[in-house]
Amino acid sequence: MKESRIEDDLLDAAGVLARAGLVSAFGHVSALLADGSLLITPPRPLGSLTPADRAMVIAPAATELPEGTPREAWIHLAIYRARPDVRAICRAQPETATALASADLPIRPLHGQGAFLGTEVPVFPDVRLVRDRDRAESLAAALGASPALLLRGNGAVTVGADLGQAVARMWLLESSARINAHAAAGRPRPLTQDEQDAWLAAETELLGRLWTHLRTDCSKGRP
């Protein structure tokens, strides 16, 4: 995919996350270029970004962050290095999901699309800001092979084969968290593995449709 197309997708991803209330002053999204370089949104509120705001490039083997890049870019670098299947990452602060992680309440698949987040969303227990390489590598280890990770007291990370998947999963993470929170008043019944597998067979198609919906809805709100 050409760099200009990825920059367009980054801008759309930023707008979707902001419009959905998944970010405020903080948050960032990134994607990999064909040469392995990392393209990431600048350290500004995602809802304020315009086509004039250029995404920032980080070399795949970087040992220091370029000046002006988000300091949490270490998270992105560590995940890309640990997960060859990941081509895009979202970092956001979904409120309900964050609350459940802080309350030690697991997020499990209670509805079909919840299966796209795994059997249970793992939690990174360190509440400190992840602004160095070592802590970022610990975070990537906590993520493991999962599509999403909660950071206790500090939001979440979702990943995907492209920006659409990463953004759709962040939206689904908050949606699934709300369902889990409501269901906690009764007797939650997580999907069985067979039921999850049935939904996972359509994952790529359904995540793509959700991304199209979120992107279209976001564009309607633009001046």
Side-chain angles (χ1 to χ4, degrees), residues 40 43 54-55 58 100 110 130 134-135 196 210 214:
I40 190 168
R54 300 287 296 177
I58 304 176
L100 293 188
L110 300 184
V130 185
D134 289 345
R135 193 167 288 120
Q196 291 177 56
L210 179 55
L214 293 170

Side-chain angles (χ1 to χ4, degrees), residues 9-10 12-14 16-17 20 22-23 28-32 39 46 76 79-80 83 85-94 116-117 143 146-149 156-174 203-204 206-212 214:
D9 285 349
L10 279 173
D12 283 347
V16 166
L17 294 173
L22 296 171
V23 294
H28 27 87
V29 290
S30 72
L32 289 184
L39 201 64
L46 294 186
H76 300 250
I79 292 174
Y80 287 129
R83 292 277 301 272
D85 60 308
V86 171
R87 303 291 298 181
I89 297 171
C90 277
R91 172 76 172 98
Q93 294 79 34
F116 304 157
L117 301 168
L143 173 68
S146 299
L149 176 71
V157 169
T158 54
V159 302
D162 54 42
L163 276 164
Q165 287 191 359
V167 172
R169 284 187 174 126
M170 186 61 75
W171 186 91
L172 280 175
L173 177 61
E174 181 64 359
E203 180 179 27
T204 299
L206 298 185
L207 286 177
R209 286 175 63 181
L210 179 55
W211 167 235
T212 299
L214 293 170

Side-chain angles (χ1 to χ4, degrees), residues 9 31-32 38 44 50 59 65 70 81-82 87 92 103 108 135-136 139 162 171 175-176 181 189 200 202 215 221:
D9 285 349
L32 289 184
L38 163 64
R44 289 182 48 197
T50 71
L65 296 181
R81 289 166 178 169
R87 303 291 298 181
R108 299 189 176 110
R135 193 167 288 120
L139 184 152
D162 54 42
W171 186 91
S175 176
S176 187
R189 295 179 55 195
L200 288 169
R215 198 176 196 176

Side-chain angles (χ1 to χ4, degrees), residues 98-116:
T98 302
L100 293 188
S102 298
D104 284 333
L105 293 174
I107 297 177
R108 299 189 176 110
L110 300 184
H111 72 308
Q113 293 176 25
F116 304 157

